[in-house]
């Protein structure tokens, strides 16, 4: 086993956003090519993980013989599963891939993000510089799950060449490095939404390495770049299926079934003190607070959903209902917002009715009960519910969201 120790950067932070995201992702994901989470321990939520032999970065620069196509196929399978449940990794690089025997596995989901197919923008600075795709550099946060495919292509090229494909120290330098390899013509599609004037850059000729797989994966235009599923099918056609894949997948499903059920053993409860009117009053107050903190609609929807999900699995006393609502919204902001309020801000917003230690304890209690038990990837299919956030019948909208999307399973 390996223990990943999480450090608290600030006493006012509570559970760090990166830790929250990683715990959620690893509880949701059960796949042979994603590192396995066994337990969470300690006050700082240290992760007890499956132990790998070596990370890919060290393996590339060692004497170890690597099969680039096999590793790429494993990464495609892991990414395909993550994308199928609405999660993009966003920080894929050799350091975040471990080799366990003959198998490559994804690790470190601290920068994971839920993605939605509605054209929204995300954090513009995502991923490590050398593995950052051109649309992240050029598009003010307009990107999707294909950022992981670009990073995977960079990893594949690094295995082939024993060095990183692009080693720029700034965004502009990265663009020059990419232009040198792919050629300037590949970027004409970006003119409609880039914040750079790419016409001033030199007219480089394409210098792609002689690799059909790299040429297939390393496509600058995200609209033409293959998805993880298409990339996986490509490698299976050209490299053949792993002999052990079918048997391994079946054995993994059997081994993981008891553990996956263990995460979800939360019997539904009926509130003995809290009634619908109390909840409605709290929702109205949380909407007002969300406005003061300038939280997005998605964050507020997720926060109310987390509140309802917690009310479904734990009895809440009247005096702590406001605290539960605040911490539910705090957790949601750590998932959805680039800059989220600190816990001391929540203490201030409730006129110090609750202390900082109480907030930290409640946040951890909600996470212990809920992380991995709700599915946020389906939020994007309810645009009419999102629009109803500003309507008069807010309570019905939030009740619909929590029952259809975020209810414990």
């Amino acid at each position: 086993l390996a223990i990943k120790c999480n450090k608290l950067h600030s006493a006012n932070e509570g559970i760090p956003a990166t830790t929250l995201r990683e715990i959620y992702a690893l509880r949701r994901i059960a796949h042979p090519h994603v590192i396995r989470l066994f337990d969470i321990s300690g006050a700082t939520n240290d992760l007890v993980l499956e132990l790998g032999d070596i990370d890919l970065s060290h393996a590339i620069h060692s004497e170890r013989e690597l099969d680039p196509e096999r590793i790429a196929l494993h990464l495609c399978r892991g990414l395909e599963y993550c994308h199928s449940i609405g999660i993009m990794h966003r920080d894929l690089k050799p350091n975040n891939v471990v080799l366990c025997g003959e198998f490559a596995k994804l690790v470190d989901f601290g920068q994971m993000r839920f993605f939605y197919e509605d054209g929204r923008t995300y954090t513009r600075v995502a991923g490590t510089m050398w593995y950052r795709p051109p649309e992240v550099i050029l598009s003010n946060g307009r990107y999707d799950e294909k950022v992981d495919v670009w990073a995977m292509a960079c990893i594949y090229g690094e295995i082939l060449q024993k060095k990183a494909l692009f080693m720029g120290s700034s965004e502009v330098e990265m663009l020059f490095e990419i232009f040198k390899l792919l050629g300037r013509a590949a970027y004409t599609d970006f003119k409609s939404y880039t914040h750079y004037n790419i016409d001033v850059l030199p007219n480089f000729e394409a210098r792609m390495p002689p690799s059909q797989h790299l040429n297939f994966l390393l496509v600058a235009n995200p609209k033409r770049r293959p998805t993880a599923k298409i990339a996986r099918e490509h490698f299976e056609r050209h490299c053949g299926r792993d002999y052990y894949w079918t048997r391994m997948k079946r054995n993994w499903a059997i081994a993981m079934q008891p553990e996956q059920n263990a995460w979800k053993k939360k019997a539904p409860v009926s509130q003995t003190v809290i009634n619908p009117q109390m909840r409605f009053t709290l929702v109205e107050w949380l909407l007002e607070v969300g406005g003061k903190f300038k939280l997005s609609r998605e964050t507020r929807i997720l926060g109310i959903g987390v509140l309802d999900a917690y009310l479904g699995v734990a009895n809440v006393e009247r005096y702590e209902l406001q605290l539960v609502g605040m911490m539910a919204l705090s957790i949601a902001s750590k998932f959805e917002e680039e800059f989220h309020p600190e816990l001391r801000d929540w203490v201030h917003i409730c006129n110090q009715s609750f202390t900082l230690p109480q907030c930290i304890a409640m946040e951890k209690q909600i996470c212990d009960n809920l992380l991995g038990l709700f599915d946020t990837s389906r939020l994007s299919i309810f645009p009419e519910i999102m629009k109803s956030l500003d309507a008069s019948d807010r309570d019905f909208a939030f009740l619909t969201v929590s029952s259809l999307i975020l209810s414990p399973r």
Side-chain angles (χ1 to χ4, degrees):
L1 299 178
I3 298 180
K4 180 177 180 180
C5 299
N6 297 306
K7 295 182 179 180
L8 292 177
H9 300 289
S10 169
N12 301 321
E13 185 182 11
I15 302 176
T18 53
T19 303
L20 268 179
R21 294 180 179 190
E22 184 160 26
I23 293 174
Y24 175 87
L26 294 179
R27 280 190 172 182
R28 285 290 314 279
I29 299 170
H31 193 273
H33 295 302
V34 176
I35 204 71
R36 187 174 174 182
L37 174 66
F38 288 104
D39 199 5
I40 304 165
S41 65
T44 56
N45 294 283
D46 298 335
L47 308 184
V48 182
L49 303 166
E50 176 184 5
L51 179 63
D53 299 332
I54 187 174
D55 71 70
L56 186 56
S57 178
H58 285 88
I60 290 173
H61 303 289
S62 68
E63 300 288 332
R64 188 168 181 148
E65 289 188 11
L66 300 175
D67 185 343
E69 287 74 25
R70 186 185 181 94
I71 291 174
L73 176 58
H74 292 178
L75 297 183
C76 288
R77 285 172 176 163
L79 290 176
E80 180 186 1
Y81 181 80
C82 294
H83 296 169
S84 70
I85 60 174
I87 290 175
M88 53 181 167
H89 190 286
R90 294 203 310 169
D91 193 23
L92 196 56
K93 56 185 177 181
N95 300 85
N96 290 341
V97 176
V98 298
L99 302 180
C100 300
E102 296 298 321
F103 299 101
K105 302 195 176 192
L106 303 174
V107 301
D108 196 349
F109 283 78
Q111 290 195 36
M112 64 76 69
R113 186 67 161 82
F114 308 124
F115 65 90
Y116 312 94
E117 298 179 359
D118 57 2
R120 73 183 62 181
T121 60
Y122 304 100
T123 307
R124 185 174 166 270
V125 180
T128 304
M129 178 75 72
W130 292 359
Y131 307 92
R132 196 173 294 167
E135 66 266 26
V136 174
I137 300 174
L138 296 171
S139 65
N140 284 327
R142 290 172 54 187
Y143 56 86
D144 56 23
E145 74 277 13
K146 291 182 182 179
V147 298
D148 291 337
V149 178
W150 174 273
M152 189 268 293
C154 293
I155 292 174
Y156 176 75
E158 187 167 342
I159 299 173
L160 291 177
Q161 299 191 149
K162 298 293 183 180
K163 67 176 184 179
L165 287 180
F166 313 112
M167 295 186 285
S169 59
S170 66
E171 289 188 337
V172 173
E173 191 174 340
M174 278 296 298
L175 289 177
F176 272 81
E177 292 289 326
I178 295 173
F179 283 139
K180 287 179 182 179
L181 191 68
L182 299 183
R184 186 169 177 271
Y187 291 87
T188 56
D189 292 337
F190 286 97
K191 290 184 179 180
S192 61
Y193 57 84
T194 179
H195 60 284
Y196 285 118
N197 180 11
I198 63 174
D199 291 329
V200 303
L201 296 171
N203 189 17
F204 293 116
E205 294 294 332
R207 299 176 182 176
M208 282 290 289
S211 167
Q212 62 171 330
H213 305 310
L214 193 58
N215 278 274
F216 177 76
L217 295 171
L218 209 61
V219 179
N221 187 346
K223 295 180 180 178
R224 293 190 296 106
R225 189 181 308 149
T227 62
K229 179 181 179 180
I230 294 174
R232 187 260 303 166
E233 293 171 346
H234 168 85
F235 279 105
E236 286 183 344
R237 284 195 305 269
H238 289 80
C239 309
R241 287 178 173 269
D242 286 348
Y243 176 75
Y244 298 104
W245 172 244
T246 303
R247 187 175 68 180
M248 174 185 170
K249 187 165 60 172
R250 182 178 65 251
N251 293 343
W252 180 269
I254 294 173
M256 288 294 290
Q257 192 64 36
E259 183 170 335
Q260 290 303 301
N261 289 338
W263 292 126
K264 303 175 183 179
K265 287 182 179 178
K266 301 294 180 184
V269 301
S270 297
Q271 295 296 326
T272 56
V273 177
I274 306 304
N275 58 46
Q277 183 57 44
M278 293 178 185
R279 176 195 167 279
F280 180 80
T281 302
L282 177 63
V283 167
E284 290 288 307
W285 183 75
L286 290 177
L287 284 174
E288 182 181 349
V289 170
K292 290 182 178 179
F293 283 134
K294 298 182 179 179
L295 301 180
S296 67
R297 291 184 172 186
E298 291 75 22
T299 300
R300 285 178 279 174
I301 289 176
L302 180 58
I304 303 303
V306 172
L307 167 66
D308 284 346
Y310 185 73
L311 291 175
V313 298
N315 264 311
V316 177
E317 297 296 332
R318 181 170 183 171
Y319 72 89
E320 63 181 359
L321 180 60
Q322 184 184 25
L323 177 61
V324 172
M326 290 194 306
M327 292 303 96
L329 198 54
S330 172
I331 291 170
S333 70
K334 291 182 178 181
F335 276 109
E336 291 287 334
E337 301 290 334
E338 181 178 358
F339 303 104
H340 56 81
E342 292 188 350
L343 291 188
R344 63 181 178 184
D345 298 323
W346 295 104
V347 173
H348 176 75
I349 207 72
C350 69
N351 295 322
Q352 299 183 351
S353 299
F354 302 99
T355 64
L356 186 60
Q358 285 179 309
C359 290
I360 293 174
M362 179 55 70
E363 184 185 56
K364 189 176 189 312
Q365 186 173 327
I366 294 175
C367 291
D368 290 343
N369 278 274
L370 290 186
L371 278 184
L373 301 182
F374 52 85
D375 181 5
T376 59
S377 62
R378 294 165 56 193
L379 276 171
S380 59
I381 65 174
F382 293 98
E384 69 280 3
I385 296 178
M386 294 184 185
K387 293 177 182 178
S388 66
L389 218 161
D390 296 321
S392 58
D393 197 6
R394 293 169 174 169
D395 195 55
F396 174 76
F398 287 129
L399 180 61
T400 308
V401 171
S402 61
S403 61
L404 294 180
I405 303 172
L406 299 168
S407 57
R409 294 169 296 178

